[in-house]
Amino acid sequence: MASFAFEEEQIKTKVHFGVWGKIIGYALRRWYLLAILAITMLLTSFHDASFVPLLNKAAIEAIRLSQGLPFDAVVIDVQFIFGIRFTVDFWGYGLTLLIGILLRSLCIFITFFATNYLEMSIYVDIRQDGFRRVQELSFSYFDKTSAGWLIARLQSDTSKIADMISWGIIRVVWLVFDLVLTLITMFTVSWQMALILLAASPLIMIIAPYFEMVLLKLSRIARNAFSGYVAWLAESIAGAKTIKTLAIETTVQAEADEIVTDIRNKNFKRTKFQALFHPSVVFVMSLTTAIVIFFGSMFMKTDTTITVATFALYIGFVRAIFNPLQEFAELFGDIVQTQSSVEKIVSLIDTKPQIVDRPDVIAKYGTLFHERKENYEPIKGDIEFKNVNFSYLKDIEIIHDMNLKIKAGQSIAIVGETGSGKSTTVNLLCRFYEPTSGQLLIDGVDYRERSVSWLRSNIGYVQQSPFIFSGTIRKNIAYGKLDATDEEIIHAAKLVDVHDFIMSLPNGYNTELQDGGSELSVGQKQLISFARAIVRDPVIMILDEATSSIDTETEVVIQKAIKDVLKGRTSIIIAHRLSTIVDSDRILVMSNGKIIEDGTHRELITAQGTYHHLYMNQFAELKVEEQIETYETQIAGIVD
Ligand SMILES: Nc1ncnc2c1ncn2[C@@H]1O[C@H](COP(=O)(O)OP(=O)(O)O)[C@@H](O)[C@H]1O
Ligand SMILES: [Mg+2]
């Protein structure tokens, strides 16, 4: 069983903050929101860091000076920053505070609204870019990437990043404004006191980030231990029967004890540290306050301008300086936690599709999303493989020096054992992959001279396992040609002999299909995907083992359909059951990435080579199948 040595190495891996540039770019697209936010946050910080503290300081001083005077006679002398100075009475003071708080509330409202808007916009933009990239990427990308991975990127990672970046920007800007305005206010009131406070604060500057970093690391260790446990648990429960057959329950139980203890210890370590965080912070803050009071009072003796109110103000400043620093440490933790999501999303968005058109080809034929169909040449359907070599992976060649000419309108069948390169050959023809060397010519022109869309719009390709989209049958067929009329759709369905079946459904062509068409048989799905391929009236038609998992009766129907449908088209059929292809114009036999036989059924049978051998084997098999079928019918008759 897998060990549970959760790699602590992983925790130390270097983080590349460069990827954030791309994400910040998404925020900068909404520069006007950022501008609004800068203003509202500046006003809010100004209110909190300067306006209220200075008004309060003035009020406290005024109260001290005006003891015994009537209420109305109190004069509050406010010394503002940047040399601004004004006097108000008590009513004026109250009114000023009221207006201030109202403005602040308005700013907060706008800030939250704009930030949420920013978050949504970033979310939508990243997701759209990611999804667009998924559309552009070539087959090879999906060989390596699971659907689950992509969905996780486009869903949870994207929302995590949008949340992080929008609120992160707000927090940074806010915190910088707060700090700067606090410093300005501090130095305006008394630069000496400001210096004393700054001299006392390095402890704070060290303690908060230190705790945050260590906590982050401990949390990661604990989390990794836990996810390792979940994987271990799943494996041991899935393998419960095997564990019993091996009689290793004691060993497994001991392993479980060990893992659980490990998790507990790691969590304990984190919790201990977390519990230490708050008291330490309060301790350091009080210590700083004490230092400010101690040196401040010494200083007060020599400087009479330092009043009690000033003193109170500076004690408040200890917190005003501390909060942003703590916030910043927290923010840093959040950034590190979002790092892996950002790296993954950026890697997706930055992935270059392997199959791309050359710039001059794009100029003429347009892009995938903006086709210039007016420049598309009509296609005849001549195909030529010229010295084509191909490897999926470096150094492992799958197709070796293939030379093959197919005339327009010919029907070709490819047979050969599993893994011989049949699908690869048609994948190359569809330009899902490009030859590693050599050329593929369509109507005598290298297909890289024309766009991918030009080629694909002329090919009808039916895969072994047809994919049914959720939606109506009509829509499913129309995916083959988005602007297909009802007549065209019905014509296609009739050609492949599925029209009667569709009409037998209560809602006919408007029948809603769900969940990959689970309410249809494989054969029916097959026929619908045939209709989808045929509705675009492709010049080249490719069927890759399209009938291999279908029962014999349905196959007869499909065979009949295929024959009608393929008339006048260049067609390539990869067949498992040789009975499907006996009357093709040419049969190619592949083995190990090479065409080893090429001829008509009659020619190949006469040659007595591989094809003859394959055919005879299947023929024998067919006999057995037929025998079983007859036998089953007889049994059924008896039981009835
Ligand atoms: N996406 C892929 N990446 C790497 N190797 C592949 C890929 N697809 C197929 N192969 C390999 O290429 C060879 C030919 O496969 P394929 O053309 O699918 O054979 P066939 O269709 O004749 O059964 C096999 O050895 C297979 O393992
Ligand atoms: Mg195949």
Side-chain angles (χ1 to χ4, degrees):
M1 206 167 290
S3 83
F4 60 96
F6 314 115
E7 295 87 50
E8 296 191 10
E9 254 62 42
Q10 218 182 320
I11 292 154
K12 290 187 209 111
T13 45
K14 208 165 173 313
V15 263
H16 298 281
F17 289 108
V19 287
W20 284 90
K22 181 134 204 145
I23 300 298
I24 288 171
Y26 281 97
L28 291 180
R29 284 191 200 172
R30 314 282 156 157
W31 57 271
Y32 49 93
L33 284 179
L34 295 178
I36 293 174
L37 283 166
I39 295 170
T40 56
M41 286 186 297
L42 183 63
L43 289 176
T44 311
S45 289
F46 174 72
H47 176 272
D48 296 349
S50 288
F51 185 74
V52 171
L54 290 179
L55 269 162
N56 285 350
K57 172 179 171 284
I60 295 171
E61 274 162 4
I63 290 166
R64 199 173 59 89
L65 291 176
S66 56
Q67 266 167 359
L69 287 181
F71 189 68
D72 289 355
V74 176
V75 175
I76 300 173
D77 176 17
V78 185
Q79 295 178 23
F80 232 54
I81 53 174
F82 303 128
I84 301 169
R85 189 170 179 169
F86 57 89
T87 54
V88 280
D89 61 8
F90 244 121
W91 296 112
Y93 169 76
L95 194 66
T96 313
L97 275 186
L98 184 69
I99 292 173
I101 195 68
L102 283 177
L103 277 177
R104 184 189 190 273
S105 306
L106 182 67
C107 286
I108 293 284
F109 168 75
I110 296 173
T111 303
F112 274 69
F113 188 80
T115 310
N116 273 314
Y117 193 83
L118 182 68
E119 182 183 349
M120 269 330 288
S121 312
I122 294 175
Y123 178 63
V124 169
D125 285 358
I126 296 182
R127 222 176 164 180
Q128 285 299 83
D129 282 4
F131 190 71
R132 192 188 171 92
R133 188 36 56 99
V134 170
Q135 301 302 305
E136 287 169 345
L137 285 168
S138 319
F139 257 48
S140 53
Y141 186 78
F142 300 96
D143 291 342
K144 292 173 291 196
T145 317
S146 73
W149 191 89
L150 282 169
I151 289 169
R153 300 298 76 81
L154 294 179
Q155 259 182 351
S156 52
D157 279 351
T158 310
S159 75
K160 203 161 141 189
I161 292 170
D163 177 42
M164 174 64 227
I165 193 73
S166 48
W167 292 99
I169 288 177
I170 302 314
R171 279 158 75 188
V172 170
V173 174
W174 206 327
L175 186 140
V176 169
F177 281 161
D178 267 356
L179 258 182
V180 170
L181 281 163
T182 303
L183 287 174
I184 291 177
T185 313
M186 268 166 45
F187 277 94
T188 306
V189 174
S190 159
W191 62 268
Q192 298 93 333
M193 284 293 283
L195 285 181
I196 291 174
L197 199 155
L198 282 190
S201 51
L203 257 181
I204 287 177
M205 293 188 197
I206 292 163
I207 198 109
Y210 167 74
F211 266 95
E212 202 60 48
M213 289 304 294
V214 176
L215 251 181
L216 203 67
K217 194 176 147 196
L218 293 177
S219 308
R220 268 211 198 182
I221 292 175
R223 224 180 21 241
N224 275 17
F226 189 73
S227 53
Y229 174 62
V230 172
W232 180 88
L233 200 63
E235 192 182 310
S236 1
I237 290 176
K241 284 185 185 167
T242 314
I243 290 172
K244 295 209 177 301
T245 58
L246 297 170
I248 51 169
E249 290 94 338
T250 331
T251 323
V252 175
Q253 187 57 46
E255 221 172 286
D257 288 344
E258 201 182 333
I259 299 175
V260 171
T261 314
D262 180 64
I263 293 178
R264 199 190 48 205
N265 290 344
K266 284 173 177 162
N267 269 299
F268 189 54
K269 217 162 139 187
R270 190 203 59 193
T271 317
K272 224 164 46 184
F273 201 77
Q274 202 167 27
L276 211 61
F277 189 16
H278 190 66
S280 311
V281 160
V282 173
F283 176 75
V284 169
M285 208 162 80
S286 308
L287 199 66
T288 312
T289 314
I291 294 172
V292 171
I293 293 174
F294 180 73
F295 287 101
S297 55
M298 292 207 347
F299 179 65
M300 204 168 137
K301 285 186 193 141
T302 59
D303 187 341
T304 47
T305 60
I306 307 292
T307 62
V308 175
T310 312
F311 230 96
L313 186 67
Y314 278 83
I315 289 169
F317 280 153
V318 174
R319 189 174 284 275
I321 293 252
F322 174 81
N323 278 347
L325 288 176
Q326 194 187 4
E327 266 273 315
F328 193 76
E330 257 174 44
L331 181 66
F332 185 74
D334 288 352
I335 290 175
V336 171
Q337 288 198 353
T338 322
Q339 178 72 20
S340 78
S341 298
V342 172
E343 279 168 10
K344 286 178 198 150
I345 267 286
V346 170
S347 86
L348 169 64
I349 292 175
D350 281 351
T351 308
K352 297 266 173 294
Q354 277 202 321
I355 311 285
V356 280
D357 290 324
R358 290 197 316 249
D360 57 313
V361 173
I362 291 177
K364 182 170 178 196
Y365 298 96
T367 64
L368 184 60
F369 294 106
H370 299 282
E371 302 168 327
R372 299 184 60 185
K373 290 210 163 137
E374 66 278 12
N375 292 336
Y376 280 14
E377 282 89 359
I379 185 171
K380 259 173 63 199
D382 283 328
I383 298 166
E384 182 176 357
F385 284 66
K386 212 169 167 182
N387 307 325
V388 168
N389 292 294
F390 176 72
S391 342
Y392 287 105
L393 308 168
K394 219 169 168 288
D395 301 333
I396 307 176
E397 197 175 86
I398 302 288
I399 300 292
H400 316 286
D401 195 31
M402 182 181 278
N403 283 289
L404 172 66
K405 273 189 187 176
I406 300 172
K407 282 209 208 62
Q410 261 190 343
S411 63
I412 304 289
I414 307 181
V415 301
E417 79 262 27
T418 306
S420 57
K422 306 180 296 291
S423 298
T424 307
T425 304
V426 296
N427 282 342
L428 284 168
L429 172 59
C430 294
R431 211 176 155 194
F432 293 134
Y433 301 86
E434 286 176 353
T436 319
S437 69
Q439 271 185 314
L440 238 149
L441 312 178
I442 307 285
D443 295 349
V445 180
D446 189 321
Y447 67 6
R448 283 172 285 210
E449 299 289 327
R450 291 174 182 165
S451 74
V452 173
S453 299
W454 170 81
L455 178 68
R456 304 246 173 97
S457 64
N458 286 306
I459 292 182
Y461 181 28
V462 185
Q463 290 165 288
Q464 182 170 356
S465 42
F467 191 85
I468 297 292
F469 297 94
S470 52
T472 60
I473 293 183
R474 177 197 313 273
K475 201 172 148 204
N476 260 286
I477 297 179
Y479 274 116
K481 185 182 178 201
L482 296 177
D483 56 355
T485 61
D486 281 358
E487 286 73 44
E488 286 174 317
I489 289 172
I490 292 170
H491 179 67
K494 280 186 175 159
L495 270 179
V496 301
D497 214 3
V498 72
H499 174 73
D500 291 341
F501 161 70
I502 297 173
M503 291 313 286
S504 75
L505 298 169
N507 290 322
Y509 282 87
N510 292 324
T511 306
E512 290 279 343
L513 301 176
Q514 267 129 26
D515 198 19
S518 52
E519 56 273 78
L520 302 177
S521 75
V522 181
Q524 288 157 348
K525 282 197 267 190
Q526 199 75 70
L527 292 175
I528 287 173
S529 80
F530 262 84
R532 184 196 290 161
I534 212 68
V535 76
R536 61 164 56 173
D537 195 21
V539 171
I540 299 171
M541 188 78 182
I542 296 170
L543 311 177
D544 188 352
E545 307 212 359
T547 53
S548 58
S549 54
I550 289 177
D551 59 279
T552 329
E553 263 163 68
T554 316
E555 197 187 6
V556 173
V557 176
I558 294 184
Q559 257 181 7
K560 183 177 153 297
I562 292 174
K563 256 177 230 153
D564 291 346
V565 161
L566 297 187
K567 264 185 212 130
R569 302 174 204 275
T570 309
S571 64
I572 299 181
I573 303 175
I574 298 175
H576 186 64
R577 290 196 198 129
L578 303 184
S579 55
T580 351
I581 50 123
V582 284
D583 46 7
S584 302
D585 293 335
R586 262 163 85 191
I587 295 167
L588 311 176
V589 182
M590 284 194 72
S591 174
N592 288 323
K594 286 197 162 130
I595 297 170
I596 53 166
E597 286 173 27
D598 180 351
T600 61
H601 174 71
R602 192 175 286 274
E603 285 163 3
L604 295 186
I605 290 289
T606 322
Q608 302 245 328
T610 313
Y611 181 75
H612 177 260
H613 183 70
L614 283 173
Y615 188 77
M616 285 309 160
N617 272 351
Q618 269 199 12
F619 193 63
E621 249 173 54
L622 203 72
K623 278 259 171 79
V624 175
E625 266 178 29
E626 270 170 9
Q627 281 169 13
I628 292 173
E629 219 167 273
T630 323
Y631 180 67
E632 278 176 349
T633 336
Q634 282 169 356
I635 300 252
I638 295 166
V639 173
D640 284 350

